[in-house]
Every structure is written in C-alpha cells, then in structure tokens.
C-alpha cells in the first residue's frame, strides 16, 4: 500500500481522534483517557515544544496512520511513540511506516531513533527488527530498541 506522509504542523489531533477506536486507545497509550481527549493529549502526551507528529495518508488522501517523534536523550535522538495504523491500512504497512519514520527523524536532525515496543506484539516487534532496529533491553514486557541513522547513511 502506498502512503504519503503529512507533518502535523498545527498539532491537530482531531484526525487521530476520529480514526482511533476507543478500544484501541489503551494499545496506543495505556495511560490515556477513554474516550480520546484532545486536551489531555496536548497537555500530557504531546505537549512538549519539540514533539513532532505525522499522519500517514492513503492514495485517497484519508488519514490512516499516526506517529510522533519526541526528543530523546539529546536533540540528536528522537524517540518514536504513539504509532497507530487503522485496521484497513494494516497488513504490509510496517515496512513503509518504518521508512517514513526514518525519513522524518533525519529531517529533524536525528542521528538515532529509539522506541519501546511490547514483546507480545509480534507483528510490530518483528517489523522494527526487520527495519534494522537493535534490541537494547527488555523490562516489564517491553523491548527498548534503537536504530542508528548514521550507519544507514554510511557507504
């Protein structure tokens, strides 16, 4: 499936709220309120000035995915968080999504991307490993991974 990436310059979370079923909010963020609360997300989850979010759009221009890149340990590190793809866009979207994450992080000046993923979420976990993320540690059912973007750019 071919997607396009749209940077969320205006921090508009209404598209995320409309595509995200209440039942899947805890999968995206187990600490967030159900139903989706835009104000809460702006204040607690995506409120830092350096938080940057993106939407994936399908060929018809519909928003079908979302992810955010937060500043990690230093400005050269971006932490991937709140990754969501609608049910109808799943199935083969992972490889394209990880490419867009990499491109977005590089455009923000990142040299490294980190993320945490549930070990039990085999499709997501395997997608990140296939994309070149290296597992650093495991704790409480989560794996912390890292992708070195400089290695990707090296000949």
């Amino acid at each position: 499936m071919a997607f396009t990436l749209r940077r969320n310059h205006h921090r508009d979370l209404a598209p995320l709220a409309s595509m995200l079923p209440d039942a899947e909010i805890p999968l995206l963020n187990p600490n967030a309120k159900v139903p989706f609360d835009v104000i809460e997300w702006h204040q607690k989850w995506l409120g830092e000035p350096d938080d940057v979010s993106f939407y994936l759009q399908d060929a018809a221009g519909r928003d079908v995915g979302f992810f955010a890149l937060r500043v990690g340990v230093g400005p050269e590190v971006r932490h991937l968080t709140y990754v969501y793809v609608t049910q109808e866009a799943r199935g083969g979207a992972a490889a394209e999504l990880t490419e867009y994450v990499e491109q977005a992080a590089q455009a923000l000046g990142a040299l490294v991307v980190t993320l945490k993923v549930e070990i039990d979420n085999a499709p997501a976990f395997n997608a990140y490993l296939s994309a070149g993320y290296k597992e650093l540690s495991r704790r409480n059912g989560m794996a912390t991974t890292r992708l070195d973007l400089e290695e990707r750019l090296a000949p």
Side-chain angles (χ1 to χ4, degrees):
M1 179 173 280
F3 298 113
T4 56
L5 189 65
R6 176 174 70 86
R7 184 170 171 169
N8 187 11
H9 287 285
H10 302 290
R11 298 179 174 242
D12 180 11
L13 296 178
L16 177 59
S18 68
M19 78 172 91
L20 181 62
D22 286 352
E24 293 190 0
I25 291 172
L27 300 174
L28 185 65
N29 182 347
N31 298 308
K33 292 178 188 174
V34 176
F36 191 91
D37 181 338
V38 171
I39 294 170
E40 175 198 31
W41 278 76
H42 278 294
Q43 290 176 346
K44 287 186 173 181
W45 315 122
L46 292 170
E48 296 298 319
D50 293 327
D51 291 346
V52 182
S53 59
F54 300 85
Y55 286 99
L56 291 175
Q57 295 181 313
D58 66 12
R62 294 179 302 235
D63 293 317
V64 295
F66 178 88
F67 67 89
L69 291 167
R70 305 189 85 182
V71 172
V73 182
E76 71 282 352
V77 177
R78 286 288 174 157
H79 186 73
L80 176 63
T81 188
Y82 310 125
V83 178
Y84 180 75
V85 177
T86 62
Q87 185 69 37
E88 61 272 5
R90 294 176 193 164
E96 195 171 348
L97 173 69
T98 57
E99 287 178 25
Y100 279 125
V101 167
E102 190 174 325
Q103 291 169 13
Q106 287 172 333
L108 294 169
L111 303 176
V112 172
V113 176
T114 61
L115 66 90
K116 291 185 179 185
V117 60
E118 290 183 24
I119 297 164
D120 291 345
N121 185 348
F125 185 59
N126 291 331
Y128 293 120
L129 293 178
S130 294
Y133 286 76
K134 306 282 190 267
E135 185 177 338
L136 300 175
S137 64
R138 290 183 181 202
R139 181 180 293 164
N140 300 324
M142 301 289 285
T144 299
T145 65
R146 173 192 167 145
L147 178 67
D148 187 329
L149 297 173
E150 284 190 308
E151 283 182 9
R152 293 275 227 230
L153 300 174

